[in-house]
Amino acid sequence: MTGKTKVILTILCLVIAVMDISGLPGVLLHIQVADVDSYIIPLMVNFLIIGIVAWLVLKAFHINYDFGFTGDGLKAGLKKYALPGVLAGVLSFFAFLVGLYPFDYQPTIWKLMIEGVLYYVGVGIVEEFYVRGLFLNVVDALAAKKKNHTQIAILVSSVLFGLGHVPGMLGMGIGVITFKLISTIGMGLYFGTVYKKTGNLWVAVMMHTFIDICALPYCFTQNMRYEKVSLVILLLTYTALGIYCLRQMFQPKEECIQSGRF
């Protein structure tokens, strides 16, 4: 990665991060469909704007960096690394199911499809692109002279991924914030590890999307709460996932999937 590429990708990453966390300019729109939360579709519009901005910047500066949006290694990557993510998602679904029961709302199919599924497809693509595809790779390049530069990049990007979710948790109480922070860092370790192990960003996108969709029980309630039982299950689940990924990160190279990256 050239110096010019590092600078451009860093600036692009910062721009996308600000747009994603703030929701601007999409949140300035007012689009209401059935009982879908009013902020969901504007945020989805924002995802499209982010995609256009990224495409224009990469084209304008002739950036041909391989982010891993390819079919190569996808099947093998899912076969080798999907199971821990699937188990984490299923346990998350169970945690939300137990914590939110009994449910007090009957959603329309629009809410289920748009808010419960399509929105998270956008989240998976956008967050994996700028957190792993951009930020992680830039940190990896900057630390290239260090022995464990890729592991350092995964750790740094995972912590920033966790901290990036804090603004959305403000007001929930220190306990909830702490649990959620640890959980999202554990997720970040997983997404970063499977990305670097496979060299395929779609693997991380698909697992990110699946885990997020497992929050579907929230479509069936009007009480957006986190019960202690849910927090405990989530904390244990993503702490275990993080430990699994730390082991994967530092295992001998000959045991890794052959991607030429890690």
Side-chain angles (χ1 to χ4, degrees):
M1 185 184 293
T2 66
K4 175 185 174 182
T5 299
K6 292 175 189 175
V7 172
I8 293 170
L9 295 187
T10 299
I11 294 173
L12 178 60
C13 179
L14 290 173
V15 170
I16 294 176
V18 171
M19 293 176 68
D20 184 43
I21 294 173
S22 68
L24 294 171
V27 292
L28 298 177
L29 301 173
H30 179 75
I31 305 174
Q32 184 69 57
V33 174
D35 57 345
V36 177
D37 282 353
S38 59
Y39 68 89
I40 291 293
I41 295 180
L43 286 180
M44 292 173 69
V45 171
N46 213 50
F47 294 155
L48 294 176
I49 296 173
I50 287 172
I52 293 171
V53 169
W55 183 83
L56 289 174
V57 169
L58 295 176
K59 286 294 182 182
F61 291 96
H62 306 289
I63 304 296
N64 297 311
Y65 188 80
D66 180 14
F67 297 105
F69 282 122
T70 174
D72 296 338
L74 176 59
K75 184 177 179 180
L78 289 172
K79 183 177 180 181
K80 188 173 180 67
Y81 297 110
L83 182 58
V86 170
L87 291 176
V90 171
L91 286 172
S92 296
F93 182 86
F94 175 74
F96 297 135
L97 201 65
V98 172
L100 294 172
Y101 185 83
F103 298 100
D104 59 2
Y105 186 73
Q106 184 64 44
T108 65
I109 188 64
W110 292 106
K111 187 177 182 71
L112 291 175
M113 291 305 300
I114 296 175
E115 187 175 333
V117 179
L118 295 179
Y119 169 70
Y120 288 119
V121 172
V123 170
I125 294 173
V126 170
E127 290 191 354
E128 288 311 306
F129 173 63
Y130 81 85
V131 177
R132 254 63 65 173
L134 294 178
F135 183 71
L136 190 158
N137 282 321
V138 168
V139 175
D140 197 2
L142 290 173
K145 293 183 179 180
K146 295 185 180 296
K147 181 181 178 180
N148 295 318
H149 56 90
T150 299
Q151 288 89 341
I152 292 171
I154 293 174
L155 289 170
V156 172
S157 65
S158 299
V159 172
L160 265 294
F161 180 66
L163 292 174
H165 285 76
V166 170
M169 297 183 281
L170 295 178
M172 293 185 178
I174 189 64
V176 174
I177 293 176
T178 301
F179 283 134
K180 288 282 288 180
L181 182 60
I182 294 173
S183 296
T184 49
I185 289 175
M187 289 184 206
L189 288 171
Y190 175 64
F191 301 143
T193 299
V194 299
Y195 170 45
K196 281 300 188 178
K197 288 288 190 181
T198 64
N200 191 303
L201 193 56
W202 285 119
V203 177
V205 168
M206 291 173 69
M207 299 317 303
H208 190 153
T209 300
F210 174 78
I211 289 174
D212 281 354
I213 289 176
C214 287
L216 196 65
Y218 275 99
C219 287
F220 293 86
T221 183
Q222 294 178 305
N223 191 347
M224 306 301 286
R225 65 189 186 275
Y226 282 95
E227 297 294 343
K228 288 183 178 179
V229 62
S230 297
L231 292 174
V232 171
I233 295 173
L234 292 172
L235 179 63
L236 293 175
T237 296
Y238 290 101
T239 297
L241 186 63
I243 293 172
Y244 160 80
C245 292
L246 288 172
R247 180 179 179 279
Q248 289 292 320
M249 285 165 57
F250 292 99
Q251 70 180 17
K253 289 185 178 180
E254 60 268 23
E255 296 179 21
C256 302
I257 190 170
Q258 293 184 359
S259 64
R261 288 173 173 256
F262 199 170

